[in-house]
Amino acid sequence: MLRMTIGPTRIAPSVLAKTAIHPLAINDPEFLKVFAECTRDMRTVHGIEKGLVYIIPATGTMAMEMLAVSFAPPRSKVAVFSSGMWGDRWTESCRRMGLDVSRISVNARGPIDYGVLAETVAREGIKTIFCTQVDSSSGLLLDLYEIGRIAKKNGAMLLVDGICGAGCEKMDQDGWGVDVLLSSTPKAMGVPCGLVMISTNDRATDFLKNRPWEPWTFALDLKPWTSVMEAHNKGQFGYVQSPAGNLVMALQEGLRLITNEGVGPRTARHERLRKELHAGLEKLGLEVLVKDPAYRSNGVTVILYPEGKDASLLGQLLANNLTLPGGTHPEYGPRTFRIGHFGNVTPEDISTTLSVLEKTLKGSSAA
Amino acid sequence: MLRMTIGPTRIAPSVLAKTAIHPLAINDPEFLKVFAECTRDMRTVHGIEKGLVYIIPATGTMAMEMLAVSFAPPRSKVAVFSSGMWGDRWTESCRRMGLDVSRISVNARGPIDYGVLAETVAREGIKTIFCTQVDSSSGLLLDLYEIGRIAKKNGAMLLVDGICGAGCEKMDQDGWGVDVLLSSTPKAMGVPCGLVMISTNDRATDFLKNRPWEPWTFALDLKPWTSVMEAHNKGQFGYVQSPAGNLVMALQEGLRLITNEGVGPRTARHERLRKELHAGLEKLGLEVLVKDPAYRSNGVTVILYPEGKDASLLGQLLANNLTLPGGTHPEYGPRTFRIGHFGNVTPEDISTTLSVLEKTLKGSSAA
Amino acid sequence: MLRMTIGPTRIAPSVLAKTAIHPLAINDPEFLKVFAECTRDMRTVHGIEKGLVYIIPATGTMAMEMLAVSFAPPRSKVAVFSSGMWGDRWTESCRRMGLDVSRISVNARGPIDYGVLAETVAREGIKTIFCTQVDSSSGLLLDLYEIGRIAKKNGAMLLVDGICGAGCEKMDQDGWGVDVLLSSTPKAMGVPCGLVMISTNDRATDFLKNRPWEPWTFALDLKPWTSVMEAHNKGQFGYVQSPAGNLVMALQEGLRLITNEGVGPRTARHERLRKELHAGLEKLGLEVLVKDPAYRSNGVTVILYPEGKDASLLGQLLANNLTLPGGTHPEYGPRTFRIGHFGNVTPEDISTTLSVLEKTLKGSSAA
Amino acid sequence: MLRMTIGPTRIAPSVLAKTAIHPLAINDPEFLKVFAECTRDMRTVHGIEKGLVYIIPATGTMAMEMLAVSFAPPRSKVAVFSSGMWGDRWTESCRRMGLDVSRISVNARGPIDYGVLAETVAREGIKTIFCTQVDSSSGLLLDLYEIGRIAKKNGAMLLVDGICGAGCEKMDQDGWGVDVLLSSTPKAMGVPCGLVMISTNDRATDFLKNRPWEPWTFALDLKPWTSVMEAHNKGQFGYVQSPAGNLVMALQEGLRLITNEGVGPRTARHERLRKELHAGLEKLGLEVLVKDPAYRSNGVTVILYPEGKDASLLGQLLANNLTLPGGTHPEYGPRTFRIGHFGNVTPEDISTTLSVLEKTLKGSSAA
């Protein structure tokens, strides 16, 4: 069975092995070293030199909310630049907590109109911008350089969900002016699910420390973690909520594999695999949701069902030993299926995926 | 090195082995079966027949807040019956989210005055009661039967943090009338950190479903998980936030070990170990914070430093290959140290702990 | 100078005289009698037999927020059916307090599409509906019978701002199933500004009394006023916030004048004056914003500036001793001006208004 | 009937006469002049040269909440220095809106321990302090100079409810460093109930304008009034919520009377009357709640019932044509009654009050 899922993705044996090491005491100097190594390597993956890296046991949704509660002043105006379900979820979180959200819908098929964002942010005086670099429901890749420019021009803080990008897309937090960047383990990082990684630049860290208001939550407030992470950086123990030791050990190994491969080469590898996949899809007459290759992500491809097909295709693929996830986009969901091709995916996985697709489509159209 | 910590506790090899199994796809029928087994066994551990069990990747603090945001009507009156830092943390979470909290302080040394709780709840018309069965900063064991009676008499909902109790104390959610019971993996359950387990009785589940208001948060709202868990119970897939597959596999094995041992025998074993430990401590002239054995928990013992000793004792113990955590109680913290003796602790661990303590105390007093 | 303003409108001399009576002590039995008379007559004006009437010193905006904070469960879904700036303001208040608002825009020129409201309420499961019977920025009259039917069908609570309707439009709170009806003194009631009157039917009063949650505010919560008003109804004193005695005395006299005229005849008189005015406007070639007379309110008329005219017309009218207010509608504001013709307006006021308008329009077009 | 009430107090005939003047249109240049005169004179009464004066139709409770929602950052730490029911009410408002309130109880009988406030503010890092200059339930006068020093030392903002002080106590907003000062019409100002006056110094005005967060409320937010008041100061019309015209006219005359008398002489007159009253009470063997005259307010006296007397005394006084209000202090309420002696009270009122008290006490003790 070949699983081309969005997450959890294939995990390397050495990472699994480290997951099974007995966790150390949370204040064991050895464990603090592991933590320090993880934060060091996360800087490389996120493209940030200074600032702070947080490693926290939580789901992606909890982490997204953590960013919103920690950085957006209560009931202030915020923009969510959304190309799919994750942007929409961020919007819902913002709405629940009482923020004045401008949800700016991005065409999931591209092209991306950054002008609407620029105009809204300027007109409304918005000082907090949220966006999802790659929304796994659309497979669309945002250009964070463009969004960073808009944020800078308007003195706004930029908070990015890079969960589907970290480890397979170019990441330049410093260069783009991303104030807060979030990623997670079970996508292109190839590490078991359960941890989120958040990096804040100096502006964002200072904001947290000097914030005059408090959020409605203690559990999801990033602020009390700040001194913990600063302590760790000095090899000292700090405590606010317990770390998930086994997952941190796994992350350490996952990051070692990534930095060994090199972030640049790893991104390039993902790009090659994506292009191979898309060339193959085109040959099979399958249409990728995102029209222009310039806007396509390296890790997730959303595909329109061909004429006459629907979700029953996924069951036929399964019978041919290929697991593909269905669509989840608020608009295109029922008309699409998806291929996850990040992390430890190989060229053979791509060719197998294409050949099973070909066989299944022919077989079923013959029937 | 013997580690008698509060968490993470010693993990059985078979549990660690399962942690390293490659996670299945989140909608794989095999994975849904694992989930169903976990929820079945959690019912046994929590002492609840009907109702719903939730398994969620989160920290204990996040789970505590989840209970508060999901069940306490906005700005309503709530009581927190607190014997230490975890009750105080719950108080802080309640305060942040705008609840009208009556924090009722429990004497960490005992005896426990349930009358103050009864009186406050009746006088203030409180309809939501939070308590920590065993606060790891005090080692005090609350009698949930008594608190359940107070809740019932006042028509209040009772939400219990059983993190330090599940797996080593008697648990009778149904019998006691606990509406919502929370536990976590890395204490007496002997499973890696990262998951919380929440069981709701029918009254609590109905409350969630019919709640006219929404909480401030999407990420920490238990309500959207309800249909997911109900789907799992029918062997169907549901999605709201991604599960942490490796930890769920580990939980399955951890629960198998617990139900194999039997919840009753396991509790009895913890009680025996606790009594052996306390007898030994008495011989050494060490005073347990909780005076009356009737109020002492089976898993955590908080001990007052003997005359002339302070936290430097922990370093001396470490030099003798025994790791013990320091005190964390808001009042007694600096004057106490702790022993964690739950999960896979053996009689040999108890005797070693006592002998190292004896040796170290003598040695240092000799010095 | 003839002032055809939206508020404050012309106040009868007997009402002004009562405004100047020295206020009694707030617990004086005489004052409680005045209060009782006011609530009795307000029932007649609002068309409600049972339930409770509240008389509170506040602005209309504060009262609108009072309704929203007191009756809409926190973060619940609510609908605002808005034809202008007051509906929009209610939307903003709802948004600020964190409600999940569906703002349903009503075409200010008519016709009114109640179907969109019905559909939204049903689809979203909305249980709280807000609407402004007559929005003073549009002059459009909603049919509360239709909206009441939608509310009933969906088990929703209906809260109506009747500030521009009470005293000049048909009011049948009981018959229409309006749960909460708000009005204010300085419009068709012809009483000085400063008081709001709120009537709740039994369902709404019970809702308040049994509400499990508390709003974010004490000052704007209607609940603590409930026992005060119930005490007043029994001739007993109750206190939560101080009444504005002089304005209550004025209200008593204002209500006496209204009930003496009779609510039916008073409404009929307003209708006649409105028709005379509109006939005259048509002769002058002036276009009323609301196209169909069936949707026009009896008290406020919004008029499009004729070709070639703009807000400078208002200055010219002023020079001819006629004060008319400018437009305030979010969309049509700059293109419209307004005539207030409720309360103590006479047929002569209507004819003078028309003749000054004629003279001014001719004069200025001649120039 | 002599009414020595706390509010509404006796209103001068010229003020009542102005109450009955027909209100002008809200944008009438004449009306804007009245407004400008009121704000000019309020500066004199409040002792502030620069900054902004707001005149708003609302109750005192609404105004107190206005200050809290507008100036205290969400969920931030605030202190309420409370000597009675109004401080407690402010605490409740703060609690409802989710602030982290330290309620510092002031001994209603004096002396006042400013040290506890200083210590709490410093220890907790509190940046917002609320206090009631004179709480009408205790009659205790706070020394705002002392509290201003504490605020300055800690960089905290000081917000004062001066409702029972404005017009009868020394007021030096600038000199004391009070950032926001609130007063109301129906106490020592001798103007009908329904308006509140708020003055903000430049620091507070700037804070409002640059506040990054928004409060939960639109109706009680002071911010949108800022541009309205700034427009009025330039003789221009601005609108956010309608003013209560009749009350503003009355306020103009009330302020004219105060500034004619002179704020200094007026305060001195109140002091003389208070001392006469207290000397008389002492002769009658009646004990004032506030022990030390240095802490007694000029406008409200709270008196302990003499041995053997209770609230039935008030009915006996009423039978002798003297209306006195009962006690309202949370602790001393049932054991006290009160005399209001501010505004247009005369020396004859004081002597009559004393003689009726004497007669009634003797008569009833004789009976």
Side-chain angles (χ1 to χ4, degrees):
Chain A
M1 174 68 68
L2 176 60
R3 293 193 174 90
M4 300 292 278
T5 55
I6 309 299
T9 61
R10 185 179 301 154
I11 298 169
S14 68
V15 171
L16 281 174
K18 293 262 280 186
T19 311
I21 291 179
H22 198 288
L24 298 166
I26 56 179
N27 61 349
D28 191 305
E30 274 307 306
F31 185 58
L32 296 181
K33 267 189 212 162
V34 175
F35 236 104
E37 248 183 58
C38 287
T39 60
R40 182 199 63 199
D41 288 350
M42 278 310 303
R43 290 173 186 282
T44 309
V45 172
H46 277 191
I48 183 169
E49 262 194 62
K50 295 199 297 174
L52 216 51
V53 174
Y54 303 75
I55 298 173
I56 296 174
T59 65
T61 300
M62 292 171 193
M64 285 158 58
E65 237 181 72
M66 225 176 229
L67 267 47
V69 298
S70 302
F71 292 98
R75 280 164 299 279
S76 65
K77 293 184 174 185
V78 304
V80 180
F81 198 56
S82 169
S83 82
M85 80 162 273
W86 295 99
D88 288 3
R89 177 165 287 195
W90 227 343
T91 306
E92 169 66 4
S93 278
C94 288
R95 191 197 63 67
R96 285 246 188 145
M97 77 188 64
L99 295 170
D100 188 0
V101 200
S102 294
R103 177 184 164 284
I104 298 157
S105 194
V106 180
N107 186 341
R109 307 205 61 180
I112 300 169
D113 182 355
Y114 298 99
V116 190
L117 176 65
E119 190 197 344
T120 308
V121 166
R123 187 187 65 236
E124 301 283 330
I126 288 168
K127 295 295 173 222
T128 319
I129 301 172
F130 298 98
C131 69
T132 313
Q133 186 188 24
V134 174
D135 198 300
S136 64
S137 71
S138 66
L140 190 80
L141 173 72
L142 300 185
D143 186 340
L144 295 175
Y145 169 77
E146 291 298 336
I147 302 177
R149 278 180 55 194
I150 294 168
K152 253 173 276 178
K153 199 175 167 187
N154 292 276
M157 199 165 275
L158 176 56
L159 303 104
V160 174
D161 164 3
I163 286 176
C164 281
C168 68
E169 305 286 354
K170 193 191 166 196
M171 278 294 180
D172 185 9
Q173 183 171 2
D174 281 338
W176 294 333
V178 170
D179 294 288
V180 187
L181 180 59
L182 160 69
S183 62
S184 171
T185 45
K187 309 288 183 195
M189 318 271 296
V191 172
C193 187
L195 292 182
V196 297
M197 289 79 69
I198 297 168
S199 55
T200 54
N201 65 14
D202 284 351
R203 183 163 89 122
T205 314
D206 288 351
F207 180 95
L208 258 196
K209 290 185 178 172
N210 301 314
R211 202 184 56 186
W213 46 269
E214 294 290 347
W216 57 264
T217 167
F218 177 80
L220 294 187
D221 188 3
L222 206 59
K223 189 175 181 174
W225 291 90
T226 304
S227 53
V228 173
M229 297 303 162
E230 289 180 336
H232 285 188
N233 286 351
K234 295 176 200 152
Q236 294 162 3
F237 177 60
Y239 184 77
V240 59
Q241 299 185 40
S242 296
N246 295 67
L247 299 179
V248 173
M249 301 295 278
L251 177 63
Q252 180 194 29
E253 175 63 11
L255 285 166
R256 201 187 59 81
L257 294 180
I258 292 174
T259 53
N260 269 10
E261 180 178 7
V263 169
R266 186 179 178 91
T267 305
R269 167 169 67 81
H270 277 91
E271 193 179 332
R272 280 196 307 275
L273 291 174
R274 186 247 296 173
K275 287 182 174 167
E276 278 172 39
L277 174 66
H278 290 190
L281 291 171
E282 201 178 337
K283 273 194 202 153
L284 295 176
L286 287 167
E287 192 183 354
V288 173
L289 183 68
V290 179
K291 291 176 183 170
D292 186 334
Y295 297 117
R296 291 181 184 166
S297 80
N298 284 337
V300 179
T301 297
V302 181
I303 304 158
L304 290 156
Y305 287 115
E307 192 66 31
K309 295 290 174 203
D310 59 18
S312 62
L313 176 64
L314 300 180
Q316 294 157 11
L317 291 167
L318 206 62
N320 289 327
N321 282 316
L322 176 63
T323 299
L324 293 187
T328 56
H329 191 273
E331 186 183 350
Y332 296 102
R335 286 183 275 159
T336 56
F337 65 104
R338 299 183 297 163
I339 301 177
H341 41 92
F342 39 20
N344 296 308
V345 162
T346 63
E348 290 67 37
D349 294 331
I350 300 293
S351 54
T352 306
T353 301
L354 287 167
S355 66
V356 175
L357 264 173
E358 183 174 18
K359 181 177 111 185
T360 311
L361 285 169
K362 276 191 188 157
S364 63
S365 66
Chain B
M1 174 67 69
L2 175 61
R3 294 193 173 90
M4 300 293 278
T5 54
I6 310 298
T9 61
R10 185 178 302 153
I11 298 170
S14 68
V15 172
L16 281 174
K18 293 262 279 183
T19 311
I21 291 179
H22 197 289
L24 299 167
I26 56 179
N27 61 350
D28 191 305
E30 273 307 305
F31 186 56
L32 297 181
K33 266 189 213 162
V34 174
F35 236 104
E37 247 183 58
C38 288
T39 60
R40 184 199 61 199
D41 288 351
M42 278 310 303
R43 289 173 186 281
T44 307
V45 172
H46 277 192
I48 183 170
E49 262 194 60
K50 294 199 297 174
L52 217 50
V53 173
Y54 303 75
I55 298 172
I56 296 174
T59 65
T61 301
M62 292 171 193
M64 285 158 58
E65 238 182 70
M66 224 175 231
L67 266 47
V69 298
S70 301
F71 291 98
R75 279 165 298 279
S76 66
K77 294 185 172 181
V78 304
V80 180
F81 197 57
S82 169
S83 82
M85 80 163 272
W86 294 100
D88 288 4
R89 176 164 287 194
W90 228 343
T91 306
E92 168 67 5
S93 279
C94 288
R95 191 197 62 67
R96 286 246 186 142
M97 77 189 64
L99 294 170
D100 188 0
V101 200
S102 293
R103 177 184 165 285
I104 299 158
S105 194
V106 180
N107 186 341
R109 306 205 61 179
I112 301 169
D113 182 355
Y114 297 100
V116 190
L117 176 66
E119 190 196 345
T120 308
V121 167
R123 186 186 65 237
E124 301 284 330
I126 287 168
K127 296 294 174 221
T128 318
I129 301 171
F130 298 99
C131 69
T132 312
Q133 187 190 24
V134 174
D135 198 300
S136 65
S137 71
S138 66
L140 190 79
L141 172 72
L142 300 185
D143 186 341
L144 296 176
Y145 169 77
E146 291 298 336
I147 302 177
R149 277 180 55 192
I150 295 168
K152 252 173 279 179
K153 197 173 168 189
N154 291 277
M157 200 166 274
L158 176 57
L159 302 103
V160 174
D161 163 1
I163 287 177
C164 282
C168 67
E169 306 285 355
K170 193 191 167 198
M171 278 293 181
D172 185 8
Q173 182 170 3
D174 281 338
W176 294 332
V178 170
D179 294 288
V180 187
L181 180 59
L182 159 70
S183 63
S184 171
T185 44
K187 309 289 184 194
M189 317 272 296
V191 172
C193 188
L195 291 182
V196 296
M197 288 78 70
I198 297 168
S199 55
T200 53
N201 64 14
D202 285 350
R203 183 163 89 122
T205 316
D206 287 352
F207 180 94
L208 259 195
K209 290 186 178 171
N210 300 315
R211 203 183 57 186
W213 46 270
E214 293 291 346
W216 315 69
T217 166
F218 177 79
L220 294 187
D221 188 3
L222 205 59
K223 189 175 181 174
W225 291 89
T226 304
S227 52
V228 172
M229 295 305 161
E230 288 181 336
H232 285 188
N233 286 352
K234 295 176 201 153
Q236 293 163 3
F237 177 59
Y239 183 77
V240 59
Q241 299 185 42
S242 296
N246 295 67
L247 298 179
V248 174
M249 301 294 277
L251 177 62
Q252 181 195 27
E253 174 63 11
L255 285 166
R256 201 186 58 80
L257 295 180
I258 292 174
T259 52
N260 268 10
E261 180 178 6
V263 170
R266 185 180 179 90
T267 305
R269 168 169 68 81
H270 277 89
E271 193 178 331
R272 281 194 308 276
L273 292 175
R274 186 246 297 173
K275 288 182 174 167
E276 278 171 39
L277 174 67
H278 290 189
L281 292 172
E282 203 178 336
K283 273 193 201 152
L284 296 176
L286 289 168
E287 193 183 353
V288 174
L289 183 67
V290 178
K291 292 177 183 171
D292 185 335
Y295 296 117
R296 291 180 183 166
S297 80
N298 285 336
V300 178
T301 296
V302 181
I303 303 159
L304 290 157
Y305 285 115
E307 192 67 33
K309 294 292 174 202
D310 59 17
S312 61
L313 175 65
L314 300 181
Q316 295 157 10
L317 292 167
L318 206 62
N320 289 328
N321 283 317
L322 175 63
T323 299
L324 293 187
T328 55
H329 191 273
E331 185 183 350
Y332 297 101
R335 287 183 276 158
T336 56
F337 65 104
R338 298 184 296 162
I339 301 177
H341 41 94
F342 38 21
N344 297 307
V345 162
T346 62
E348 291 68 35
D349 295 331
I350 299 294
S351 54
T352 307
T353 301
L354 288 167
S355 65
V356 175
L357 265 173
E358 184 174 18
K359 181 178 113 184
T360 312
L361 286 168
K362 278 190 187 157
S364 63
S365 65
Chain C
M1 174 67 68
L2 175 61
R3 292 192 174 91
M4 300 292 279
T5 54
I6 309 298
T9 61
R10 186 180 298 153
I11 298 169
S14 68
V15 171
L16 281 174
K18 293 262 280 186
T19 311
I21 290 179
H22 197 289
L24 298 166
I26 56 177
N27 61 349
D28 192 305
E30 274 306 306
F31 185 57
L32 296 181
K33 267 190 212 162
V34 174
F35 235 104
E37 248 183 58
C38 288
T39 60
R40 183 199 61 200
D41 288 353
M42 278 310 303
R43 290 173 186 282
T44 308
V45 172
H46 277 191
I48 183 170
E49 263 194 60
K50 296 198 296 173
L52 216 50
V53 174
Y54 303 75
I55 298 173
I56 296 174
T59 65
T61 300
M62 292 171 193
M64 284 158 58
E65 237 180 71
M66 224 175 231
L67 267 45
V69 298
S70 302
F71 292 98
R75 281 164 299 280
S76 65
K77 294 185 172 183
V78 304
V80 180
F81 197 57
S82 169
S83 83
M85 80 163 271
W86 294 99
D88 288 3
R89 176 164 287 194
W90 228 343
T91 305
E92 169 67 6
S93 279
C94 288
R95 190 196 63 68
R96 285 245 189 147
M97 77 188 65
L99 294 170
D100 188 1
V101 200
S102 293
R103 177 185 164 284
I104 299 159
S105 195
V106 180
N107 186 342
R109 307 206 61 179
I112 300 170
D113 182 355
Y114 297 100
V116 190
L117 176 65
E119 190 197 344
T120 307
V121 167
R123 188 187 61 237
E124 301 283 330
I126 287 168
K127 296 295 173 221
T128 320
I129 302 172
F130 299 98
C131 69
T132 312
Q133 186 188 28
V134 174
D135 198 300
S136 65
S137 70
S138 66
L140 190 79
L141 173 72
L142 300 185
D143 187 340
L144 294 176
Y145 169 78
E146 290 297 337
I147 302 177
R149 276 180 55 193
I150 294 168
K152 252 173 281 179
K153 199 175 166 187
N154 291 278
M157 199 165 274
L158 176 57
L159 303 102
V160 174
D161 164 2
I163 287 176
C164 281
C168 67
E169 305 286 356
K170 193 192 165 196
M171 277 295 181
D172 185 8
Q173 183 171 1
D174 281 338
W176 294 333
V178 170
D179 294 287
V180 187
L181 181 58
L182 160 70
S183 63
S184 170
T185 45
K187 309 289 181 192
M189 317 271 297
V191 172
C193 187
L195 291 182
V196 297
M197 288 79 69
I198 297 168
S199 54
T200 53
N201 64 15
D202 285 351
R203 183 163 88 122
T205 315
D206 288 351
F207 179 95
L208 259 196
K209 290 185 177 171
N210 300 315
R211 204 184 56 187
W213 46 269
E214 294 290 346
W216 57 264
T217 166
F218 177 79
L220 295 187
D221 188 4
L222 206 59
K223 189 175 181 174
W225 291 89
T226 304
S227 53
V228 172
M229 297 304 161
E230 288 181 336
H232 285 189
N233 286 351
K234 296 176 199 152
Q236 295 163 2
F237 177 60
Y239 183 77
V240 59
Q241 299 186 43
S242 296
N246 295 68
L247 298 179
V248 173
M249 301 295 277
L251 177 63
Q252 181 194 27
E253 174 64 10
L255 285 166
R256 201 187 58 80
L257 295 180
I258 292 174
T259 52
N260 268 10
E261 181 178 6
V263 169
R266 186 178 177 91
T267 305
R269 168 170 67 80
H270 277 91
E271 192 178 332
R272 280 195 308 276
L273 292 174
R274 185 248 296 174
K275 287 183 173 167
E276 278 173 39
L277 174 68
H278 289 190
L281 291 171
E282 201 178 339
K283 273 194 202 153
L284 296 176
L286 287 167
E287 192 183 355
V288 173
L289 183 67
V290 178
K291 291 176 183 174
D292 186 335
Y295 296 118
R296 291 180 184 168
S297 80
N298 284 337
V300 179
T301 297
V302 180
I303 303 158
L304 291 155
Y305 286 116
E307 192 66 31
K309 295 290 175 203
D310 59 16
S312 62
L313 175 66
L314 300 181
Q316 295 157 13
L317 292 167
L318 206 63
N320 289 327
N321 283 317
L322 176 63
T323 299
L324 293 187
T328 56
H329 191 272
E331 185 184 351
Y332 297 102
R335 287 182 275 159
T336 55
F337 65 104
R338 299 183 297 161
I339 301 177
H341 41 92
F342 39 20
N344 297 307
V345 162
T346 63
E348 290 68 36
D349 295 331
I350 299 294
S351 54
T352 306
T353 300
L354 288 167
S355 66
V356 175
L357 264 173
E358 183 173 20
K359 184 177 112 184
T360 311
L361 285 169
K362 275 189 187 160
S364 64
S365 66
Chain D
M1 174 66 71
L2 175 61
R3 294 193 173 89
M4 300 293 277
T5 54
I6 309 299
T9 61
R10 185 179 299 153
I11 298 168
S14 68
V15 171
L16 281 175
K18 292 262 279 182
T19 311
I21 291 178
H22 197 290
L24 298 166
I26 57 178
N27 61 348
D28 191 307
E30 273 307 306
F31 185 58
L32 296 181
K33 267 188 212 161
V34 174
F35 235 105
E37 247 184 58
C38 288
T39 60
R40 183 199 62 199
D41 288 352
M42 277 311 302
R43 291 172 185 282
T44 308
V45 172
H46 277 191
I48 183 170
E49 264 195 58
K50 294 200 296 175
L52 216 50
V53 174
Y54 303 75
I55 298 172
I56 296 174
T59 65
T61 300
M62 291 171 193
M64 284 158 58
E65 236 180 71
M66 224 176 229
L67 266 47
V69 298
S70 302
F71 292 98
R75 279 165 298 279
S76 65
K77 293 184 172 184
V78 304
V80 179
F81 197 57
S82 169
S83 82
M85 79 163 272
W86 294 99
D88 288 2
R89 177 165 288 194
W90 227 342
T91 306
E92 168 67 4
S93 280
C94 288
R95 190 197 62 68
R96 284 245 189 145
M97 77 189 63
L99 295 170
D100 188 1
V101 200
S102 293
R103 177 184 164 284
I104 299 158
S105 195
V106 181
N107 185 342
R109 306 205 63 179
I112 301 170
D113 182 354
Y114 297 100
V116 190
L117 177 65
E119 189 197 344
T120 307
V121 167
R123 187 188 62 236
E124 301 283 330
I126 287 168
K127 295 296 173 218
T128 319
I129 301 171
F130 298 99
C131 69
T132 313
Q133 188 189 23
V134 174
D135 197 301
S136 65
S137 71
S138 66
L140 190 80
L141 173 72
L142 300 185
D143 186 341
L144 295 176
Y145 169 77
E146 291 297 337
I147 303 177
R149 276 180 56 192
I150 295 168
K152 253 173 279 179
K153 198 175 166 188
N154 291 278
M157 199 165 276
L158 177 57
L159 303 103
V160 175
D161 163 3
I163 287 176
C164 281
C168 68
E169 306 286 354
K170 192 189 167 198
M171 277 293 180
D172 185 8
Q173 183 171 2
D174 281 338
W176 294 332
V178 171
D179 295 287
V180 186
L181 180 59
L182 159 69
S183 62
S184 171
T185 45
K187 310 288 183 195
M189 318 272 296
V191 171
C193 187
L195 292 182
V196 296
M197 289 79 70
I198 297 168
S199 55
T200 53
N201 64 16
D202 285 351
R203 182 163 88 121
T205 316
D206 288 352
F207 179 94
L208 258 195
K209 289 185 179 172
N210 300 316
R211 204 183 55 185
W213 45 271
E214 293 291 347
W216 316 70
T217 165
F218 177 80
L220 294 187
D221 188 4
L222 206 60
K223 189 174 182 175
W225 292 88
T226 304
S227 53
V228 172
M229 295 304 161
E230 289 180 337
H232 285 187
N233 287 351
K234 295 175 199 153
Q236 293 163 3
F237 176 60
Y239 184 78
V240 59
Q241 299 186 42
S242 296
N246 295 67
L247 298 179
V248 173
M249 301 294 278
L251 177 63
Q252 180 194 27
E253 175 62 11
L255 285 166
R256 201 186 59 79
L257 295 179
I258 292 174
T259 53
N260 268 11
E261 180 178 6
V263 169
R266 186 180 178 91
T267 304
R269 168 170 67 81
H270 277 91
E271 193 178 332
R272 280 196 309 276
L273 291 175
R274 186 248 294 174
K275 287 181 173 168
E276 278 172 39
L277 174 67
H278 290 190
L281 291 172
E282 202 178 336
K283 273 193 201 152
L284 295 177
L286 288 168
E287 191 182 356
V288 173
L289 183 67
V290 178
K291 292 177 183 171
D292 185 336
Y295 296 117
R296 292 181 184 166
S297 80
N298 285 336
V300 178
T301 297
V302 180
I303 303 159
L304 290 156
Y305 285 116
E307 192 66 31
K309 295 290 174 203
D310 60 16
S312 61
L313 176 65
L314 301 181
Q316 296 157 10
L317 292 167
L318 204 62
N320 289 329
N321 283 316
L322 175 64
T323 299
L324 293 188
T328 55
H329 191 273
E331 185 183 350
Y332 297 102
R335 287 182 277 158
T336 55
F337 66 104
R338 300 182 296 161
I339 302 177
H341 40 94
F342 38 21
N344 296 308
V345 162
T346 63
E348 290 69 36
D349 295 330
I350 299 293
S351 54
T352 306
T353 300
L354 288 167
S355 65
V356 175
L357 264 173
E358 184 174 19
K359 182 178 111 185
T360 311
L361 285 169
K362 276 189 186 157
S364 64
S365 65

